[in-house]
Amino acid sequence: MHDTDILQTQLCIDGIPSVLWGNPSDQLYLAVHGNLSHKQDEVILLLAEQAAGVGHQVLSFDLPGHGERAGDGFCSVRQSVDDLRTILAYAKQRYRVINLFACSMGAYF
């Protein structure tokens, strides 16, 4: 990953390690990473750079068994979908427009 000037706010949403990228906005990209990846992977950083350039924020999080949750066990479909629902509920309370960006396994969920 390379250095970036994008504001990164570390969050824990119902026990799920997350990062909110960019300056405050009412428009969000919810980013779901792929297999063997994490919430601050290069592809998420590239998305955050582009989104911040047009006044949007990005919210990314670690799926089970990935990133800060690497020791939490297996990444099951059920747990991953539950986590995505939790993150989406958080976003719906705070943003007027929510877009989805997902890679690989994240797109499956």
Side-chain angles (χ1 to χ4, degrees), residues 12-73:
C12 188
I13 301 170
D14 288 343
I16 303 169
S18 307
V19 176
L20 183 61
W21 306 75
N23 294 318
S25 174
D26 65 349
Q27 299 182 58
L28 179 77
Y29 278 91
L30 178 55
V32 189
H33 66 76
N35 193 30
L36 304 177
S37 188
H38 55 86
K39 67 185 177 301
Q40 292 174 286
D41 196 343
E42 183 75 15
V43 71
I44 304 295
L45 172 60
L46 293 171
L47 169 66
E49 289 173 343
Q50 293 299 311
V54 294
H56 297 234
Q57 288 186 286
V58 172
L59 178 59
S60 57
F61 64 99
D62 284 329
L63 289 167
H66 293 79
E68 290 182 51
R69 300 172 76 188
D72 289 352

